[in-house]
Amino acid sequence: MGIRLISIVFCSIFALFFMQCQDMSNETETMAAPELYQERHRPQVHFSPKEKWMNDPNGMVFFEGEYHLFYQYYPDSTIWGPMHWGHAISKDLVHWEHLPIALYPDSLGYIFSGSAVVDWNNTSGLGSEGAPPLIAIFTYHDVEGERANTDTFQSQAIAYSNDRGRTWTKYEGNPVIPNPGIRDFRDPKVIWDANSEQWVMVFAAQDRVKIYGSKNLKDWEHLSDFGENFGDHGGVWECPDLFPLYLAEEDKTYWVLLLSINPGGPNGGSATQYFIGDFDGQQFILDDRFQPYVKKKETGEEQAVWVDYGRDNYAGVTWSDIPKEDGRRIFIGWMSNWDYAKVVPTEVWRSAMTLPRTLTLVASAAGPRLQQAWVEEVDALAMEVQEKKSETVQDTINLIKLTPGESVVARLKLRVRSISQGITSFGIMLVNAEKEYYLLGYNVAKKHFFSNRTSAGDHSFSDKFAEAIHIAPYELVGDEMDLDIVIDRSSVELLAANGTVALTDLVFPKADFHHLVFFTDDGSAEVAGTITPLRSIW
Ligand code: FRU
């Protein structure tokens, strides 16, 4: 968006509002400390811990009507430290109840990332007849071993619960997969593979994914490795996930492998790539049509297909044991980036998760691709749905206007049509009383989505936070585009182009964004849709 348009927006909004805002800011100075969940930047519709440090989502499993969300947690600080598994449960994936810490570090090490499953047939023998145990599979990170510069300080271990995840006992035979001498050896994700009738574990080992199999979750056999020659290798591989997805158009089930990498993301720092192929009970085999997009090139120039092009969606994996009659594959990611996660300007807590997303596959000329949508439970947070009747925009129109002090927490579903020839870009702009602005849109000329937070608020805490505009390549076919956006105080999540492009970014505005504008640059477009303010989950 050009300077001309930015000034149009400011001139039209600020004459009136700037004066009111100055009054408001005097008031805030004398206000008492904010209540829990009302703190500056606190997400209102995203999960965040009550207090202290959080990173990766862990152990997501559905059991007896409850979605469990465990997470990397350090209860003594807002900076990463000895890792525990924090714990929360939900009946609807949007409202969360905090539970006591599930797993504490012990003599074998910190509790790093991992997964959980319901052992329906008690194959582990850690439950009892008719009462399946929950089994958590995690990495032990032995700090002493790390300090002593061994290469064997990470290993895979299990713990079990026979009271719906309320209390956990670590298995006495831990670790179940000792380390053979590989420095990065972590983040196990386990699934039951009905075809090969075994538990299958994937975890990250430096530059590849290791695949293991087991009949009882305790004794594991190495089956294969994947990835040394594929995808992005700009950093260490972490947090894989492997699961089947059915593609109706082809009446075929594919296997999807998610893989986080840090650094090496498309816009810097941490990000998650994915691969599509088949799993035969032994090996993950890349789909032929997918291969050209993820081949590690000999020149050192690598290619990857990314789950999310934003800077703030990392270590995401999917829920286990979603009932068959539901059938969804539900994903959640950590809404931050290792480039600056430890210094973002929040005081009581650090980090939130993305909204849960349903993953499906969609056919394309280049083969199947991942498609994302917010879980429909998010709809229950809707306050009044505001219809935006179709309107042709040349420059800007207001989508929502709040009074200073209120902030935009909303979902926008927009359909942009009749995109005129010669238009440079279109999108949304968020504005606040500090004259900060955030831009999210599509650049028709350059064929990419963009998220520009360079003037959107505080970035003094890290040189890396606002060093560039984040882009997601996409070729517009026709003259129509759909945008589904959730704005929640300090984050903006975009799902666009029928859910095939995702872009998630944090923002730390110095005052709440209270104006939301749709803009076009050097041309016009027709916009219609809904703008839905969302109510707080807390
Ligand atoms: C990913 C990660 C994992 C590790 C955990 C430690 O963000 O680095 O590889 O298990 O965080 O907290």
Side-chain angles (χ1 to χ4, degrees):
M1 188 192 205
I3 299 289
R4 185 184 65 87
L5 272 185
I6 293 171
S7 41
I8 292 179
V9 175
F10 281 130
C11 291
S12 62
I13 301 173
F14 280 101
L16 179 61
F17 279 90
F18 199 50
M19 283 160 61
Q20 294 182 16
C21 305
Q22 281 176 330
D23 291 349
M24 288 272 313
S25 59
N26 290 342
E27 262 169 52
T28 29
E29 269 167 36
T30 53
M31 267 168 26
E35 283 178 33
L36 194 65
Y37 289 108
Q38 288 309 318
E39 308 93 338
R40 172 128 223 84
H41 303 310
R42 177 74 94 162
Q44 296 301 299
V45 297
H46 291 81
F47 177 81
S48 60
K50 216 181 215 163
E51 55 171 14
K52 310 301 181 193
W53 170 270
M54 175 179 84
N55 56 292
D56 313 358
N58 294 153
M60 291 115 73
V61 63
F62 180 83
F63 186 57
E64 296 193 346
E66 294 172 337
Y67 295 91
H68 290 262
L69 171 61
F70 300 87
Y71 49 88
Q72 289 287 278
Y73 189 52
Y74 184 37
D76 294 338
S77 171
T78 49
I79 297 180
W80 190 91
M83 282 291 109
H84 300 55
W85 273 25
H87 189 193
I89 50 168
S90 173
K91 289 195 167 15
D92 64 3
L93 285 165
V94 287
H95 296 93
W96 296 96
E97 182 189 337
H98 295 291
L99 292 184
I101 289 173
L103 294 170
Y104 285 79
D106 60 42
S107 62
L108 294 179
Y110 298 173
I111 315 296
F112 269 21
S113 286
S115 52
V117 292
V118 185
D119 182 10
W120 289 107
N121 295 318
N122 194 23
T123 60
S124 62
L126 296 169
S128 50
E129 238 346 87
L134 290 180
I135 308 286
I137 308 97
F138 58 91
T139 297
Y140 264 125
H141 176 93
D142 167 25
V143 198
E144 301 301 321
E146 185 185 20
R147 284 190 194 126
N149 221 8
T150 70
D151 280 333
T152 53
F153 54 87
Q154 294 184 337
S155 58
Q156 320 318 331
I158 63 175
Y160 55 96
S161 168
N162 283 303
D163 57 1
R164 296 158 57 241
R166 289 342 186 242
T167 60
W168 291 83
T169 309
K170 287 166 187 145
Y171 171 56
E172 58 187 16
N174 279 339
V176 291
I177 304 185
N179 189 310
I182 302 174
R183 259 189 97 74
D184 295 291
F185 193 76
R186 58 177 178 270
D187 309 335
K189 177 76 163 59
V190 171
I191 52 163
W192 172 256
D193 178 32
N195 287 336
S196 58
E197 295 191 329
Q198 63 178 336
W199 297 103
V200 172
M201 181 196 292
V202 286
F203 64 89
Q206 251 151 14
D207 60 349
R208 64 197 72 183
V209 169
K210 294 224 164 265
I211 306 180
Y212 277 65
S214 172
K215 293 285 180 204
N216 60 11
L217 292 159
K218 299 193 277 199
D219 304 302
W220 292 91
E221 178 200 352
H222 180 219
L223 301 176
S224 62
D225 290 355
F226 170 80
E228 188 195 358
N229 297 314
F230 296 109
D232 199 291
H233 285 265
V236 67
W237 282 24
E238 299 184 318
C239 299
D241 192 359
L242 177 69
F243 50 85
L245 276 185
Y246 177 70
L247 178 59
E249 286 109 309
E250 294 183 15
D251 188 21
K252 187 173 168 182
T253 297
Y254 287 89
W255 283 74
V256 178
L257 181 66
L258 304 184
L259 198 273
S260 284
I261 177 167
N262 177 51
N267 287 293
S270 350
T272 304
Q273 52 189 322
Y274 71 90
F275 302 90
I276 291 181
D278 192 17
F279 176 66
D280 65 1
Q282 192 85 22
Q283 272 182 304
F284 177 78
I285 305 131
L286 256 190
D287 187 72
D288 285 346
R289 286 167 300 167
F290 202 76
Q291 191 154 324
Y293 299 88
V294 293
K295 212 164 172 58
K296 185 177 165 188
K297 292 210 181 124
E298 277 147 23
T299 57
E301 191 203 324
E302 297 169 352
Q303 284 199 67
V305 181
W306 301 95
V307 172
D308 196 307
Y309 281 84
R311 292 267 266 151
D312 298 298
N313 181 355
Y314 192 60
V317 287
T318 64
W319 255 274
S320 183
D321 293 283
I322 298 293
K324 267 216 176 67
E325 56 282 13
D326 177 324
R328 287 178 297 176
R329 179 57 57 177
I330 305 168
F331 167 99
I332 203 167
W334 174 44
M335 205 156 51
S336 197
N337 189 309
W338 283 115
D339 268 357
Y340 43 72
K342 295 176 186 172
V343 293
V344 293
T346 61
E347 276 162 25
V348 176
W349 83 102
R350 260 217 185 93
S351 302
M353 299 300 178
T354 64
L355 280 183
R357 304 174 181 184
T358 303
L359 303 184
T360 46
L361 287 182
V362 64
S364 83
R369 287 290 181 275
L370 216 48
Q371 183 182 39
Q372 306 178 50
W374 316 120
V375 294
E376 58 261 25
E377 286 87 337
V378 168
D379 293 347
L381 302 177
M383 303 217 264
E384 209 184 330
V385 180
Q386 300 172 14
E387 290 286 334
K388 170 79 204 91
K389 292 236 170 67
S390 183
E391 183 174 345
T392 300
V393 182
Q394 172 105 36
D395 289 350
T396 69
I397 54 156
N398 273 335
L399 289 178
I400 199 173
K401 191 168 68 178
L402 304 170
T403 43
E406 288 182 301
S407 61
V408 181
V409 177
R411 175 178 184 180
L412 316 179
K413 280 177 95 161
L414 301 178
R415 181 150 284 279
V416 186
R417 290 171 207 263
S418 307
I419 300 164
S420 70
Q421 292 281 330
I423 193 172
T424 324
S425 62
F426 60 84
I428 61 153
M429 178 183 187
L430 283 158
V431 180
N432 68 10
E434 297 286 333
K435 296 195 179 169
E436 293 167 337
Y437 59 93
Y438 168 75
L439 300 165
L440 177 68
Y442 181 69
N443 189 317
V444 182
K446 293 185 177 156
K447 298 190 172 80
H448 61 220
F449 288 92
F450 59 89
S451 162
N452 182 345
R453 63 181 179 191
T454 57
S455 300
D458 188 7
H459 52 84
S460 60
F461 49 89
S462 162
D463 290 346
K464 292 187 171 165
F465 188 77
E467 61 190 347
I469 296 169
H470 308 150
I471 62 168
Y474 178 77
E475 185 135 6
L476 181 66
V477 185
D479 70 343
E480 219 176 291
M481 161 79 70
D482 61 282
L483 306 169
D484 199 345
I485 302 168
V486 174
I487 302 162
D488 185 8
R489 285 192 170 178
S490 52
S491 67
V492 182
E493 288 178 89
L494 165 73
L495 299 180
N498 196 22
T500 57
V501 177
L503 198 159
T504 303
D505 268 348
L506 295 177
V507 276
F508 296 102
K510 291 190 191 111
D512 294 323
F513 287 129
H514 59 82
H515 256 82
L516 172 59
V517 160
F518 182 83
F519 71 84
T520 61
D521 222 350
D522 301 326
S524 66
E526 212 180 290
V527 64
T530 53
I531 297 138
T532 310
L534 302 176
R535 67 172 59 87
S536 175
I537 60 171
W538 304 113

